[in-house]
Amino acid sequence: MLTQPTIFAFFSVVVGLSCFFPYMRDIFLRKTTPHIYSWLIWAMLQITGAIAMFSSGAGWGVTPLILGAVLCISVFLLSFKYGTKNITGFDLVCLISALAVFCFYLF
């Protein structure tokens, strides 16, 4: 039996996939170059949100965040080959700050 949360989760997954496929296509066509640090931070945020929702008993509502985490991790991994290579000092500061906050949140 389909419930309202299940239907919304399904449509959220469809929307999420439809947003990522053009971006991934453009990565392979070399029309865009993902920034490795940005995608790592986005993946960490998605994973944190998914864990928080799952541990709170979100049910099917956590599905779009899990998909988002998988897709962000995919783009992060693609960034090693297709991503931008101009990492600045400010990028490093942002990454270290995000990792510190992530560790603080976990504990």
Side-chain angles (χ1 to χ4, degrees):
M1 178 156 130
L2 292 176
T3 62
Q4 187 177 10
T6 307
I7 292 169
F8 282 128
F10 172 77
F11 283 117
S12 295
V13 166
V14 170
V15 169
L17 288 173
S18 66
C19 291
F20 266 87
F21 280 138
Y23 187 75
M24 289 206 181
R25 180 198 64 221
D26 286 349
I27 290 172
F28 288 116
L29 294 175
R30 298 189 186 262
K31 290 183 178 181
T32 189
T33 53
H35 192 278
I36 192 166
Y37 288 3
S38 298
W39 284 101
L40 175 60
I41 293 169
W42 279 110
M44 289 174 15
L45 287 170
Q46 294 277 334
I47 291 166
T48 304
I51 290 170
M53 285 183 70
F54 185 76
S55 64
S56 298
W60 285 104
V62 75
T63 307
L65 276 179
I66 292 172
L67 173 69
V70 169
L71 292 172
C72 285
I73 291 168
S74 299
V75 175
F76 166 70
L77 293 175
L78 288 172
S79 297
F80 284 101
K81 181 174 182 178
Y82 299 101
T84 184
K85 305 298 185 229
N86 56 345
I87 304 300
T88 66
F90 184 70
D91 294 335
L92 186 60
V93 168
C94 290
L95 178 64
I96 291 170
S97 299
L99 290 171
V101 170
F102 184 71
C103 291
F104 179 75
Y105 178 77
L106 289 177
F107 297 109

